[in-house]
Amino acid sequence: ILKIIKKRLLLIISLTIVAVGIAVALSFYFITQIYQAQTQILINQKGSSEEVYSWSQIETDLQLINTYNDIIKSPVILNKVIEELKIDTTPEQLTNQITLSSESDSKVLKIEVQDSNPEQAANIANVTAEVFKEQIPSLMNVDNINILSAAILSENPTPVKPNKLFNIAIGTVIGIMLGIGLAF
């Protein structure tokens, strides 16, 4: 096995270099870079401190998070976001850009938006939170949403996709495997 690999080492190295080159070209020039922005909202009932911190009220707020997830991704909210930002997309496409998450037993809901434009991602996240905060009193007859942190555009945003180093590592492994496979 070692003799075969040694005999065909030039082939293995050449294919590895070609595969790495393809991975670099794809990662840096062809795959669209995706940026992410995040805002956080707090689900919390207003009222006296005894009511707000009662176990049943906390449980109610936690159970409402799933309902709020559905409402945020509904056309009622997303159409207003699209209208306010004047973006050329549909609610279905915008739903695919938005990810909602919360830690277990946490009343903080994260709205993460991914877009090819970092400024657009931040705008969508912030406007979605604002529209949701404005619309929830009329939709559910509650007023329990506060925006904890707005999405902020950094001076030098870094893309979350593609993971260039990972793509290069995959290209290296594929090149080596292809080279060894052809050598045998």
Side-chain angles (χ1 to χ4, degrees), residues 28-70:
F28 284 89
Y29 301 109
F30 294 106
I31 298 175
T32 304
Q33 294 183 347
I34 303 295
Y35 298 89
Q36 182 171 303
Q38 172 184 299
T39 185
Q40 295 178 325
I41 57 177
L42 174 67
I43 289 106
N44 198 18
Q45 297 291 336
K46 294 181 180 174
S48 71
S49 62
E50 291 174 8
E51 292 173 357
V52 171
Y53 296 111
S54 73
W55 184 252
S56 64
Q57 191 60 52
I58 291 171
E59 277 298 310
T60 301
D61 288 342
L62 291 174
Q63 290 172 354
L64 282 174
I65 287 177
N66 291 331
T67 303
Y68 290 159
N69 286 346
D70 292 337

Side-chain angles (χ1 to χ4, degrees), residues 163-177:
N163 186 338
K164 295 172 184 168
L165 191 59
F166 182 70
N167 290 349
I168 292 169
I170 288 175
T172 303
V173 170
I174 289 173
I176 291 170
M177 289 173 51

